[in-house]
Amino acid sequence: MDDQPRLMHAHAAVGMSGHPGLSQHIQDNTGATDGDGRKQDIGDILQQIMTITDQSLDEAQARKHALNCHRMKPALFNVLCDVKEKTVLSIRGAQEEESPDAQLMRLDNMLLAEGVSGPEKGGGAAAAAAAAAASAGVGADNATEHSDYRAKLTQIRQIYHTELEKYEQACNEFTTHVMNLLREQSRTRPISPKEIERMVNIIHRKFSSIQMQLKQSTCEAFMILRSRFLDARRKRRNFNKQATEILNEYFYSHLSNPYPSEEAKEELAKKCSITMSQVSNWFGNKRIRYKKNIGKFQEEANIYAARTAVSAASVSAHGSQTNSPSTPNSAAMRTYDHRLQ
DNA sequence: GGAAATGATTCCGA
DNA sequence: TCGGAATCATTTCC
């Protein structure tokens, strides 16, 4: 609180003796070239301002009122504002003018894209749909997980908006308070509307930085949620028995070349209700594990070979003469075994 | 509870 | 871009 008197003293002092151009300034601003009378007025006003803090509250209030009504007050106020503008505020320089923050823009864009900010309709639906597609084949759990994801996204969204509203409210309240304070003080201190506006901008920037932290936290929360949802390893399910059998049948019946074509992968994916990449993964794993331990898989290979042989024989017996690639072929098995060694 | 099995991911080379 | 290899993370089995 005692900054105010000090400032007043300082400016008054500058006005009276420290600033050689003040008299000229006043003359320029008022057009008063006629004289000692007005200089005397100004001297009186400055003297009253300087001594105002020595008085009781009531006296000071009365003095303030008298000063505000003084005919020279507007001119003196303009001059002091001008002096202050040139001496104090110029130090701050142009550095206050900042370019739009790229990071803030990135955060805003991300929050908008993911449906956290902006209109709620379908917010995050795209992400949820993508996530659901990524985990295709998991089956009935999908719907549950999807709604779980959306519920958590909504929760993040709600927290974000609540906090954002709080910050905005606080910002508005604080800004109004500061503006009122400065307007009130501008009755006795050289505070121009421009300076009030600058102060408001400073407050907004401070609150913006707080908002940026909020946005950053929201983005992080969202990223964690999504990575958990999308990370298939966290919710891996073994394929069902039927799917595994279909894949094994294909593998052992094509042992000479266990590399299904795109069409074959697509068909297998359909049959097993899994994605093509899951088929690729399965064959990748199977080949490497078979190669690593042929002995262990030999029994399994025999079982599937026998089963396929029976099936082929049955087809053959029905007069359906085919040369299907799924025909059991122990020679082929030996070929792949050989290739792998 | 620990080992084995299994599906997914990552890195690297052809 | 695809496949091999290593590895991770989870599930299943004992």
Side-chain angles (χ1 to χ4, degrees):
Chain A
M1 280 297 284
D2 54 4
D3 276 356
Q4 186 176 336
R6 267 207 302 277
L7 269 175
M8 289 200 319
H9 282 286
H11 288 298
V14 166
M16 291 181 81
S17 58
H19 197 283
L22 181 55
S23 298
Q24 185 60 47
H25 224 98
I26 293 164
Q27 284 173 3
D28 290 347
N29 272 275
T30 59
T33 54
D34 61 340
D36 296 340
R38 288 191 176 176
K39 282 185 183 173
Q40 185 58 44
D41 281 344
I42 294 163
D44 287 347
I45 294 169
L46 293 173
Q47 189 59 40
Q48 287 176 42
I49 293 172
M50 286 174 68
T51 57
I52 202 166
T53 53
D54 300 332
Q55 297 163 350
S56 70
L57 197 60
D58 288 342
E59 283 175 335
Q61 286 294 346
R63 181 68 58 85
K64 267 169 68 179
H65 181 69
L67 283 169
N68 280 328
C69 297
H70 197 284
R71 63 193 176 94
M72 293 300 292
K73 192 256 180 180
L76 182 61
F77 183 80
N78 286 340
V79 171
L80 290 175
C81 284
D82 207 12
V83 170
K84 186 178 175 186
E85 185 76 21
K86 285 180 180 167
T87 55
V88 180
L89 298 178
S90 61
I91 296 168
R92 294 173 188 163
Q95 65 189 16
E96 286 179 8
E97 306 301 326
E98 289 174 354
S99 58
D101 195 301
Q103 194 186 357
L104 187 60
M105 282 175 68
R106 271 203 307 277
L107 291 171
D108 279 337
N109 287 340
M110 182 182 168
L111 291 172
L112 197 62
E114 303 301 348
V116 177
S117 62
E120 184 159 12
K121 53 165 186 174
S135 58
V138 173
D141 291 341
N142 247 3
T144 315
E145 288 174 13
H146 194 153
S147 62
D148 193 34
Y149 176 86
R150 295 197 66 159
K152 283 181 176 152
L153 187 66
T154 305
Q155 199 180 352
I156 291 176
R157 188 190 163 93
Q158 277 171 350
I159 293 169
Y160 170 75
H161 284 290
T162 308
E163 292 298 312
L164 197 64
E165 210 171 304
K166 271 190 209 165
Y167 286 132
E168 274 170 4
Q169 197 181 344
C171 179
N172 288 337
E173 280 175 9
F174 190 69
T175 304
T176 308
H177 177 73
V178 169
M179 280 174 72
N180 289 338
L181 201 65
L182 290 175
R183 278 186 191 135
E184 172 61 29
Q185 289 193 357
S186 71
R187 294 158 75 90
T188 49
R189 289 176 57 202
I191 300 170
S192 63
K194 196 177 166 188
E195 193 184 344
I196 294 177
E197 193 185 332
R198 190 178 288 119
M199 187 60 73
V200 167
N201 285 337
I202 290 170
I203 293 167
H204 283 176
R205 270 201 293 276
K206 296 287 179 198
F207 273 88
S208 288
S209 70
I210 297 171
Q211 275 189 13
M212 192 161 84
Q213 286 174 21
L214 170 68
K215 286 175 181 177
Q216 199 151 10
S217 306
T218 307
C219 282
E220 281 170 11
F222 173 75
M223 295 300 285
I224 290 167
L225 172 67
R226 188 152 84 161
S227 69
R228 280 193 182 158
F229 189 78
L230 286 176
D231 190 352
R233 283 193 294 204
R234 289 183 183 276
K235 52 180 174 46
R236 183 178 70 76
R237 300 279 187 280
N238 289 354
F239 298 156
N240 61 42
K241 206 171 178 181
Q242 193 187 358
T244 309
E245 293 214 342
I246 292 169
L247 294 167
N248 271 320
E249 265 175 32
Y250 188 97
F251 180 81
Y252 288 113
S253 63
H254 294 77
L255 207 49
S256 59
N257 186 34
Y259 298 87
S261 62
E262 288 298 298
E263 292 77 18
K265 280 183 192 172
E266 203 173 338
E267 199 180 332
L268 287 168
K270 264 186 197 169
K271 280 184 184 171
C272 302
S273 302
I274 57 177
T275 65
M276 282 178 69
S277 56
Q278 284 179 304
V279 173
S280 298
N281 285 338
W282 189 91
F283 274 87
N285 285 324
K286 190 72 181 179
R287 281 190 298 266
I288 194 74
R289 285 164 185 163
Y290 179 83
K291 179 184 165 184
K292 272 186 177 175
N293 198 345
I294 293 174
K296 195 183 91 179
F297 286 97
Q298 197 60 56
E299 192 184 347
E300 187 180 68
N302 291 337
I303 292 168
Y304 279 101
R307 193 182 297 177
T308 320
V310 169
S311 150
S314 161
V315 170
S316 175
H318 283 83
S320 201
Q321 197 70 24
T322 58
N323 194 14
S324 162
S326 64
T327 301
N329 189 342
S330 41
M333 278 176 65
R334 281 195 298 276
T335 310
Y336 182 57
D337 291 354
H338 181 72
R339 281 178 58 199
L340 295 174
Q341 285 157 11

